[in-house]
Amino acid sequence: GGLTFNRRSTIDLGGAWGAIRLGRDYTPEFWSKTSFDPFGTLGVAQSSNLNLTGTGGAGVRASNSVSYLYGYAANANSVQGAGGVYAQLMYAAGENASGAATSSDGNTTGLRVGFVQPGKFDAAIATQTAKNAALGNYKGFNIAGSYNLGVANLMAQYGTQKSGNGTINSKYTLLGATIPVGAGYIPVSFTQYKSSVGTMASANQVGIGYVHNLSKRTALYTAYARIGNNNGAAFAVANSPAAAVNGASSGFEV
C-alpha cells in the first residue's frame, strides 16, 4: 500500500549455476498466466479479466522479493533458458508494521517449475501462498503449457484460487492459440471462470485479435473480447465500465 510505482523493477546476479533476482517481480503463479496467454495478459482480451479474482493482493507482482532462478538465460525477463528444466523459487516480505494482526500480510512464497524445448514445447506448474489476515491466507495453483504445431502455437491453462476462510474457492481454464499470418499473428482464446462459493458465479470470455509486426520492437494490433456472466457474476473486460450482474461486457481496441 502507498506505492506510487507498481510495475516490475528487478536486478539479477547470474551465472552457469542460475541466478538470484531481487526487487519487485511477477509472482511464479502469474508468470504462467502471462506466458501461456495468447494476449500476454494485455488489453481487452487478457485472461486476467477473469483469473485474477480473489488473489489477495498477490496476484501479479510482489515487492521486496528474493528469487532463485534455474535454467536462467541472460537478459531474459522470465525464467526460461535455452532449453530443458527451468524453475523459480520466490520469497517476498510484506513489510507491515509489527504487532498487528495484519503484520504478516503480503508475505509471499511461490515456486514454478517447467520444461521447455525452444520453438516446440513448453509447460510449467506453479504454486503460491500469500499471507492475508482478512482472507485467512491465499493459495494459488496452476498448470499450463504450449505446443507449436507450426500452423499454430496452442496454449492451455488450468488453475485454482482459494482462501483459508472459504470466501474464495474458484477455478479457471484457458484454451488459446497464436496463428502466424505473414508478418504477424492472430491470437485467439477462450477463458472460463467458476466459483464454488455463494451463488456459484461463473463467466466465459472469448477473444480474438491481430498483431502486425513492423519491426522487432514495434507492432500494430487490434483485439475484441466479450464476457458473458452467470449466477451473479459481473466481470468486465479491461478498461471498460463495470458490467451488470449476469450481463455481458465487450471491448474493442486498436
Side-chain angles (χ1 to χ4, degrees), residues 211-233:
V211 179
H212 183 80
N213 295 309
L214 300 178
S215 70
K216 291 183 178 180
R217 297 186 177 183
T218 307
L220 302 176
Y221 64 91
T222 184
Y224 170 82
R226 185 183 188 278
I227 293 176
N229 292 292
N230 299 288
N231 300 330

Side-chain angles (χ1 to χ4, degrees), residues 93-249:
E95 279 198 343
N96 292 288
S98 60
T102 57
S103 60
S104 296
D105 276 14
N107 290 359
T108 301
T109 56
L111 174 66
R112 180 172 183 251
V113 179
F115 181 88
V116 60
Q117 182 182 349
K120 189 65 175 179
F121 172 80
D122 192 359
I125 186 170
T127 183
Q128 180 179 322
T129 300
K131 297 290 186 180
N132 187 297
L135 293 176
N137 301 334
Y138 162 78
K139 293 183 179 180
F141 165 85
N142 61 41
I143 183 169
S146 64
Y147 191 85
N148 195 340
L149 298 174
V151 295
N153 186 29
L154 306 180
M155 300 182 185
Q157 294 184 35
Y158 171 80
T160 61
Q161 299 169 149
K162 298 181 179 181
S163 63
N165 63 7
T167 59
I168 298 168
N169 187 355
S170 62
K171 60 183 179 180
Y172 60 87
T173 55
L174 177 149
L175 296 174
T178 56
I179 305 168
V181 178
Y185 65 91
I186 297 172
V188 294
S189 69
F190 172 80
T191 307
Q192 184 179 69
Y193 166 93
K194 289 185 177 182
S195 173
S196 299
V197 177
T199 61
M200 309 293 187
S202 63
N204 298 321
Q205 173 181 284
V206 292
I208 187 170
Y210 174 64
V211 179
H212 183 80
N213 295 309
L214 300 178
S215 70
K216 291 183 178 180
R217 297 186 177 183
T218 307
L220 302 176
Y221 64 91
T222 184
Y224 170 82
R226 185 183 188 278
I227 293 176
N229 292 292
N230 299 288
N231 300 330
F235 292 98
V237 300
N239 304 314
S240 295
V245 174
N246 297 330
S249 172

Side-chain angles (χ1 to χ4, degrees), residues 64-101:
N64 313 305
S65 72
V66 179
S67 290
Y68 169 70
L69 309 178
Y70 176 79
Y72 169 81
N75 300 319
N77 280 330
S78 60
V79 297
Q80 285 90 335
V85 175
Y86 61 88
Q88 179 187 18
L89 176 63
M90 171 189 276
Y91 174 77
E95 279 198 343
N96 292 288
S98 60

Side-chain angles (χ1 to χ4, degrees), residues 29-48:
E29 182 191 11
F30 183 75
W31 269 122
S32 285
K33 288 181 178 180
T34 190
S35 298
F36 299 107
D37 184 336
F39 295 90
T41 57
L42 178 69
V44 296
Q46 59 186 293
S47 62
S48 52

